[in-house]
Amino acid sequence: MKRIIIIFLVLISFISCEDVIEVETPGEPPRLVVDGIVRIDTTEAFTTARIKISTSSSFFDENTPVSADLVRIQNVLYEPEFVGEGNFINLAEVEPGIYEGSKRTRFFTEGRLDLYINYNDERFYAATNFVPSVPIDTLRQGTETLFSEDETEIVVSFKDNGERNDFYIFDFGFNEFLVTEDEFYQGQTFEFSYFYEDGLEAGTELNISLLGADEGFYNYMNQVIVQSGGDQGPFQTPAATVRGNVFNVTGLDNIEVLDNVERSDNFALGYFAVVQEYKGNITIE
């Protein structure tokens, strides 16, 4: 959603003058960008993992999809149900920069998951564990506003699981995300309002998701939201570099110890996470 920008024009002595202003933007070399958020519906027997691979570009341009030599997800603790099933998936490129592969959902919810990417003669690696979430209890349209009459209020409620410390990420669509943790509502029902700044037309259908997150993924998303001002998705090029959990492991003799050699400056951007997703729908009146 577009932010509201107010531009003041000042006329001095009724003379119109025009100055050229040069804006310095980030100019670092392109980096690999990995959109590796795998959303899990635990009621489904099979899950399709979808990983997007691109390279960062200049600040004002979109990322460029690229093809990798290998995109693999492996779970060393997974015990296949059938002979020959294997404990890994080699994802196939279904369109430029987008890789998909299906596996039994249990493969994604048990044990550590390792992501391997071979690109441009370099090796990249990330590791994660499945993180559960909780259902959305209610979604309803409110009537309040914060700053303008054009805003649309959505009131959300959910009940936190009191037996663990939880971090959550809300996906409100339109590349709008919100993070929250249960420090102040442990085991309780939490209700809050979210405002769409530009407002939404009657009849608009919203698909809102509540994702589980570990502390690392929560911190990453929080930083990206702040850096992007909320106007970009979490895997566009941010105003400042936000490091994720995808490491360049080219030349490492042991990827279990990621600091056992001098680190390359050619690190990747983005994040690999496997999280439970609960969805809710609402139609704007």
Side-chain angles (χ1 to χ4, degrees):
M1 303 294 283
K2 296 181 179 178
R3 300 286 179 180
I4 301 173
I5 301 177
I6 302 176
I7 302 176
F8 292 94
L9 302 179
V10 180
L11 299 179
I12 302 176
S13 301
F14 302 101
I15 298 176
S16 178
C17 59
E18 183 176 291
D19 293 328
V20 177
I21 301 176
E22 295 184 359
V23 179
E24 184 177 350
T25 59
E28 64 178 20
R31 297 188 184 279
L32 187 69
V33 181
V34 179
D35 178 348
I37 310 308
V38 180
R39 304 183 183 207
I40 303 294
D41 180 349
T42 55
T43 66
E44 298 290 334
F46 288 85
T47 292
T48 297
R50 182 180 175 91
I51 306 291
K52 297 180 182 180
I53 310 294
S54 61
T55 54
S56 59
S57 54
S58 65
F59 181 66
F60 294 106
D61 295 330
E62 295 291 329
N63 291 344
T64 303
V66 296
S67 295
D69 298 320
L70 171 73
V71 178
R72 171 182 290 183
I73 298 176
Q74 183 167 342
N75 185 337
V76 296
L77 297 181
Y78 179 67
E79 297 180 359
E81 297 182 19
F82 300 98
V83 175
E85 182 181 348
N87 64 348
F88 65 89
I89 323 169
N90 286 332
L91 281 66
E93 189 173 20
V94 296
E95 56 184 275
I98 298 180
Y99 291 78
E100 292 185 352
S102 296
K103 200 77 169 173
R104 295 180 184 276
T105 297
R106 188 172 65 84
F107 170 87
F108 296 98
T109 60
E110 299 176 5
R112 191 187 73 190
L113 294 153
D114 296 336
L115 173 67
Y116 298 90
I117 298 173
N118 292 352
Y119 168 72
N120 199 23
D121 295 326
E122 294 191 291
R123 299 173 61 232
F124 297 86
Y125 167 81
T128 193
N129 289 86
F130 171 76
V131 182
S133 185
V134 296
I136 297 173
D137 289 335
T138 61
L139 288 175
R140 61 181 174 84
Q141 185 175 346
T143 59
E144 300 297 324
T145 60
L146 283 177
F147 303 109
S148 74
E149 296 298 324
D150 294 330
E151 294 169 336
T152 299
E153 179 190 25
I154 299 297
V155 182
V156 184
S157 72
F158 64 95
K159 185 174 182 180
D160 176 65
N161 186 326
E163 297 181 358
R164 61 182 186 237
N165 295 323
D166 286 298
F167 300 87
Y168 302 106
I169 297 171
F170 276 93
D171 181 352
F172 286 97
F174 309 105
N175 279 333
E176 296 198 17
F177 298 83
L178 178 120
V179 297
T180 181
E181 58 177 309
D182 66 359
E183 180 180 1
F184 299 109
Y185 53 85
Q186 178 72 258
Q188 303 176 27
T189 296
F190 182 55
E191 182 175 287
F192 67 95
S193 292
Y194 185 83
F195 294 88
Y196 292 89
E197 292 187 359
D198 290 347
L200 300 171
E201 296 182 357
T204 300
E205 293 186 3
L206 295 177
N207 298 309
I208 297 172
S209 295
L210 175 53
L211 310 177
D214 58 19
E215 188 171 4
F217 186 33
Y218 167 87
N219 289 334
Y220 170 83
M221 288 296 296
N222 189 41
Q223 291 181 61
V224 173
I225 292 170
V226 171
Q227 292 288 351
S228 67
D231 290 331
Q232 304 181 115
F235 302 99
Q236 299 299 315
T237 305
T241 299
V242 179
R243 295 289 295 268
N245 67 341
V246 183
F247 296 91
N248 187 327
V249 295
T250 305
L252 285 178
D253 58 336
N254 180 9
I255 61 174
E256 298 290 339
V257 184
L258 294 176
D259 58 354
N260 66 343
V261 297
E262 182 179 352
R263 301 304 311 130
S264 169
D265 289 333
N266 185 18
F267 56 84
L269 300 175
Y271 212 91
F272 174 53
V274 179
V275 299
Q276 188 175 23
E277 175 185 40
Y278 283 99
K279 298 179 180 180
N281 303 297
I282 185 172
T283 301
I284 300 301
E285 299 178 353

